Amino acid sequence: MRTAVEYEGKPVGWLLWEPDAYGVQIEVDCELPSGAPPLLRCYGETGDEPLLVGLPAPEDGRLRLRRHLSKETLKAEGCIERPPMAFYLAERPRQKADAVPQTEQSPQDEILQTPDHGKPPLRTGDAVLDALLDSGAVHAERIQEGIRLHCLFAPNRPFGLAPAFVLCQVKGDEATLDWTKKDAAGVAASDNKQDII
């Protein structure tokens, strides 16, 4: 499915939503709206809380994003049966009129926080891996021992987890990295060795 992406009510590009056996592959290509804030995220309107699609990166004068959302993420966001009704770019998600005010969280709460309706995304505590998550090129989900990072992989193309390739496993068209408390306390993809909680 290919559909329009809007910014402040006006179409600025498109989003390609392609379901596969593991979830959905997403590609976003939008013009950079003039006067827009430096960080625009792409959201999907679900009728409930918005789905965070990701953070498009500037590329050749446009905003582009390629990523994979797992079935678990789609199920948690209520998008397993059908895609969101509309997509838009914004600094933060549109709030429902009856939204409950957010409570303050400590920095520790941000580590390994499940991405859920305005709360911080999952964090590893490693500067390199968290930067990859922020870029939208890598997706994270909670596993029993910590966090699983994953992205699309093709042998002839760059992939999101390349800066941590020595820690990755490749199965088919997906690269994964399981980041556990043991990893955070020991060898990391960068010099930042903060424990995850």
Side-chain angles (χ1 to χ4, degrees):
M1 170 192 88
R2 184 169 163 151
T3 188
V5 177
E6 296 185 347
Y7 175 70
E8 295 186 342
K10 297 178 183 175
V12 292
W14 53 266
L15 178 143
L16 189 63
W17 180 281
E18 293 185 320
D20 61 27
Y22 306 103
V24 65
Q25 178 60 40
I26 293 173
E27 184 174 347
V28 176
D29 188 326
C30 295
E31 66 185 59
L32 185 58
S34 61
L39 290 178
L40 287 176
R41 291 168 176 81
C42 182
Y43 294 96
E45 197 66 63
T46 65
D48 191 18
E49 296 295 332
L51 166 71
L52 173 60
V53 175
L55 178 67
E59 188 179 309
D60 299 325
R62 296 184 65 81
L63 291 175
R64 292 193 172 115
L65 170 68
R66 291 166 201 84
R67 75 175 304 187
H68 189 269
L69 294 178
S70 68
K71 283 186 175 178
E72 293 80 15
T73 299
L74 296 172
K75 186 175 181 181
E77 300 296 334
C79 298
I80 198 71
E81 299 295 326
R82 61 183 180 347
M85 301 171 281
F87 295 91
Y88 62 93
L89 297 178
E91 264 191 302
R92 56 187 55 87
R94 297 176 189 155
Q95 296 297 318
K96 292 169 46 176
D98 57 348
V100 177
Q102 298 292 320
T103 58
E104 293 226 2
Q105 295 178 328
S106 71
Q108 267 193 333
D109 292 336
E110 294 183 9
I111 300 170
L112 283 181
Q113 181 73 47
T114 303
D116 183 24
H117 314 319
K119 294 180 184 174
L122 288 171
R123 311 306 287 171
T124 65
D126 179 85
V128 171
L129 297 178
D130 288 343
L132 294 174
L133 287 169
D134 291 341
S135 75
V138 174
H139 182 65
E141 59 188 276
R142 187 182 300 276
I143 57 174
Q144 187 173 0
E145 303 82 19
I147 296 176
R148 174 166 291 150
L149 306 176
H150 56 90
C151 67
L152 286 180
F153 176 83
N156 58 346
R157 294 179 59 189
F159 67 106
L161 283 167
F165 73 95
V166 296
L167 303 173
C168 293
Q169 292 183 337
V170 175
K171 291 183 183 175
D173 63 352
E174 187 173 53
T176 62
L177 186 160
D178 287 351
W179 189 253
T180 65
K181 294 179 183 182
K182 172 178 62 78
D183 294 324
V187 177
S190 75
D191 292 330
N192 181 352
K193 295 177 181 173
Q194 176 182 349
D195 287 353
I196 59 176
I197 298 171

Short mmCIF file of all heavy atoms in Angstrom, two decimals, residues 31 40 84 110 115 126 132 155 163 182:
data_model
loop_
_atom_site.label_atom_id
_atom_site.label_comp_id
_atom_site.label_asym_id
_atom_site.label_seq_id
_atom_site.Cartn_x
_atom_site.Cartn_y
_atom_site.Cartn_z
N GLU A 31 9.23 15.62 1.18
CA GLU A 31 9.98 16.87 1.05
C GLU A 31 10.23 17.43 2.45
O GLU A 31 9.51 17.09 3.39
CB GLU A 31 9.22 17.87 0.19
CG GLU A 31 7.91 18.35 0.81
CD GLU A 31 7.12 19.25 -0.12
OE1 GLU A 31 6.78 18.81 -1.23
OE2 GLU A 31 6.84 20.39 0.30
N LEU A 40 11.61 15.86 12.75
CA LEU A 40 10.22 15.50 12.51
C LEU A 40 10.12 13.98 12.50
O LEU A 40 10.89 13.31 11.81
CB LEU A 40 9.75 16.04 11.15
CG LEU A 40 9.52 17.54 11.04
CD1 LEU A 40 9.15 17.90 9.62
CD2 LEU A 40 8.41 17.98 12.00
N PRO A 84 -2.41 1.93 9.84
CA PRO A 84 -3.04 3.17 10.30
C PRO A 84 -3.85 3.84 9.19
O PRO A 84 -3.61 3.61 8.01
CB PRO A 84 -1.83 4.04 10.70
CG PRO A 84 -0.77 3.06 11.06
CD PRO A 84 -0.97 1.91 10.10
N GLU A 110 14.06 5.47 31.49
CA GLU A 110 14.15 5.54 30.05
C GLU A 110 14.88 4.33 29.49
O GLU A 110 14.71 3.97 28.34
CB GLU A 110 14.88 6.82 29.62
CG GLU A 110 14.08 8.05 29.96
CD GLU A 110 14.77 9.30 29.46
OE1 GLU A 110 15.76 9.19 28.72
OE2 GLU A 110 14.30 10.38 29.83
N PRO A 115 8.37 1.15 24.13
CA PRO A 115 7.80 2.27 23.42
C PRO A 115 6.29 2.18 23.50
O PRO A 115 5.70 1.24 23.01
CB PRO A 115 8.29 2.08 21.97
CG PRO A 115 8.70 0.66 21.87
CD PRO A 115 9.03 0.21 23.25
N ASP A 126 23.96 2.20 25.58
CA ASP A 126 25.16 2.31 24.76
C ASP A 126 24.97 3.44 23.77
O ASP A 126 23.97 3.48 23.04
CB ASP A 126 25.42 0.99 24.03
CG ASP A 126 26.64 1.06 23.15
OD1 ASP A 126 27.75 0.83 23.67
OD2 ASP A 126 26.49 1.37 21.95
N LEU A 132 21.64 4.67 16.82
CA LEU A 132 21.04 3.92 15.73
C LEU A 132 19.52 3.82 15.92
O LEU A 132 18.76 3.94 14.96
CB LEU A 132 21.65 2.52 15.64
CG LEU A 132 23.12 2.45 15.25
CD1 LEU A 132 23.63 1.02 15.35
CD2 LEU A 132 23.35 3.01 13.86
N PRO A 155 23.19 -8.35 1.55
CA PRO A 155 24.65 -8.44 1.51
C PRO A 155 25.32 -7.35 0.68
O PRO A 155 26.48 -7.03 0.90
CB PRO A 155 24.91 -9.83 0.91
CG PRO A 155 23.63 -10.28 0.33
CD PRO A 155 22.54 -9.54 1.02
N PRO A 163 27.47 -0.45 12.45
CA PRO A 163 28.47 -0.06 13.44
C PRO A 163 28.69 -1.10 14.55
O PRO A 163 29.69 -1.05 15.25
CB PRO A 163 27.89 1.23 14.03
CG PRO A 163 27.03 1.78 12.95
CD PRO A 163 26.43 0.56 12.31
N LYS A 182 24.25 -8.34 30.64
CA LYS A 182 25.64 -8.80 30.61
C LYS A 182 26.44 -8.02 29.57
O LYS A 182 27.55 -7.58 29.82
CB LYS A 182 25.67 -10.28 30.30
CG LYS A 182 27.04 -10.86 30.04
CD LYS A 182 26.98 -12.35 29.78
CE LYS A 182 26.16 -12.68 28.54
NZ LYS A 182 26.84 -12.47 27.27
#
